[in-house]
Amino acid sequence: MKKRNIVGLLGSAVFGLSSFTGAAVAQDWEPRRPISLIIMAGTGGGADQIARFIQSVAQQNDMTPRPLVPENRGGGSGAEALIAVNNTNAPDYTILATLNSFFTTPLLQSNLGIDITEFTPIEIMGVDPFVLWVNADSGITSFEQWVEEVGSMEPNQYVMGGTGQGQEDSLVIGWLESNFDLDIKYIPFSGGGEVAAALAGNQVMATVNNPAEARGFLANGDVVPLAIFSEERSPNLPDVPTMAELGHDFTYYNQRAIVGAPGMSEEAAEYYRDLFQQIYDGEQWQQYMEAESLEPLQLDAEEQTTYWEEQIARHEELLAEIGTQAAE
């Protein structure tokens, strides 16, 4: 899977380090009540960490007259969050912190009646690469050794953890199974933080996690990264080879975006676009991106809508490729 199919205009972003100058740019519209920041994942994972960091930046720099209020709704692989945002009676006060389940969950659960193209594009804050991790006690130190180990086991004997079927990690694991003739038992957890902790605690044998989710366990020597599903090596994991370097043309990234509810007024949408652009350009977010191995992806509202449509089509292809059909 080509990176251009997943990330598109990744290389077009322009980094800027700037200082905040107070509240967000003056607008014709401003929030007059607290803003619901719904997170379509459980606590402790990458989406939760990012959403709460963004909320803290806005609060510390007095960027909004009313607070952003984070709320985790990860049930049903993010279906709970999508329903809440889709059905809100306050679209100007409801925004969503997304990951790629924004694309996959409506495909796999068509009974939800969710059309993400009706949501309001606000800001893509970056994209997050995935890494294959094993517990340090396994003694496995290379991707080739991992494939040999998993391939030598009986079906369902090798156990990996993730955040649920149809979620991003399960797609990558499905790709590994189909391309290396592996048969892996998959155990779902409620969020990426729990998945990383399960690996560190030897509850599972391997995971596909974002670097930020496993950072603490890596520092403690609990886990070992074997391969990264990105186009280039990560500066924070310089010794970890890409799948391309290992001879396999596959990359996969998690979008980290803020999305508005369907029916949001254009005035409110512009307010949030200005707000999150300020956060993106600020030194705190730029430093966070660097520390957490996020890569830039800056798109305007029209480009975001096109990106969503491309991602829906690409995820349909990937789900079909690994044998997980989108629901009719």
Side-chain angles (χ1 to χ4, degrees):
M1 181 167 55
K2 300 290 187 182
K3 181 176 180 182
R4 61 177 175 269
N5 292 327
I6 289 295
V7 181
L9 301 177
L10 181 64
S12 66
V14 177
F15 284 95
L17 297 180
S18 63
S19 299
F20 295 116
T21 57
V25 175
Q27 297 283 320
D28 293 334
W29 184 92
E30 286 192 339
R32 302 179 186 278
R33 53 182 275 190
I35 304 153
S36 294
L37 174 56
I38 295 177
I39 306 164
M40 59 183 309
T43 58
D48 182 59
Q49 292 175 26
I50 287 169
R52 292 180 185 276
F53 181 81
I54 289 171
Q55 182 271 335
S56 70
V57 171
Q59 180 177 326
Q60 291 167 15
N61 294 283
D62 193 26
M63 300 181 74
T64 59
R66 295 293 185 270
L68 297 171
V69 182
E71 179 182 354
N72 293 89
R73 293 201 175 207
S77 298
E80 181 187 2
L82 290 170
I83 292 169
V85 176
N86 191 66
N87 297 341
T88 182
N89 58 7
D92 284 1
Y93 294 89
T94 307
I95 56 178
L96 177 68
T98 72
L99 50 163
N100 284 0
S101 51
F102 183 63
F103 310 118
T104 57
T105 294
L107 289 173
L108 293 168
Q109 302 181 48
S110 63
N111 60 304
L112 297 176
I114 300 290
D115 180 359
I116 65 166
T117 63
E118 294 179 355
F119 284 58
T120 304
I122 300 297
E123 184 79 19
I124 297 180
M125 304 298 291
V127 290
D128 215 352
F130 282 91
V131 176
L132 174 64
W133 306 86
V134 294
N135 189 283
D137 293 340
S138 70
I140 297 173
T141 58
S142 71
F143 179 73
E144 295 84 357
Q145 187 182 0
W146 179 82
V147 171
E148 182 178 356
E149 174 75 11
V150 181
S152 70
M153 292 188 172
E154 295 295 322
N156 287 321
Q157 186 179 357
Y158 196 85
V159 181
M160 293 187 69
T163 53
Q165 290 293 344
Q167 294 282 71
E168 299 82 2
D169 56 71
S170 75
L171 299 185
V172 178
I173 292 170
W175 180 87
L176 289 167
E177 287 186 288
S178 63
N179 282 270
F180 296 94
D181 193 25
L182 307 176
D183 196 329
I184 295 168
K185 181 177 181 179
Y186 182 85
I187 298 179
F189 293 84
S190 63
E194 283 193 18
V195 174
L199 178 61
N202 267 321
Q203 294 174 256
V204 296
M205 299 174 176
T207 63
V208 173
N209 267 103
N210 299 124
E213 294 169 330
R215 182 185 63 241
F217 299 112
L218 175 64
N220 289 338
D222 299 321
V223 298
V224 175
L226 301 180
I228 188 166
F229 299 90
S230 60
E231 192 134 300
E232 297 179 354
R233 292 196 182 199
S234 168
N236 293 333
L237 298 170
D239 297 326
V240 179
T242 67
M243 288 303 295
E245 289 176 314
L246 295 168
H248 310 287
D249 187 15
F250 182 82
T251 59
Y252 192 75
Y253 295 80
N254 213 348
Q255 74 150 0
R256 302 302 187 181
I258 302 296
V259 173
M264 177 179 283
S265 69
E266 187 58 29
E267 293 81 8
E270 285 303 317
Y271 174 87
Y272 292 120
R273 287 168 189 150
D274 285 343
L275 168 65
F276 287 100
Q277 186 65 56
Q278 281 196 58
I279 292 173
Y280 183 93
D281 289 337
E283 186 174 0
Q284 287 171 286
W285 179 250
Q286 292 296 320
Q287 290 178 344
Y288 184 91
M289 288 180 67
E290 182 177 355
E292 305 297 343
S293 303
L294 286 171
E295 298 184 31
L297 178 59
Q298 285 273 268
L299 304 175
D300 63 26
E302 183 177 351
E303 290 169 335
Q304 286 180 59
T305 301
T306 300
Y307 173 76
W308 294 351
E309 293 169 348
E310 292 172 347
Q311 292 303 298
I312 292 169
R314 188 63 191 95
H315 280 86
E316 284 181 320
E317 294 174 4
L318 183 56
L319 288 168
E321 179 183 341
I322 67 173
T324 304
Q325 298 294 332
E328 296 297 335

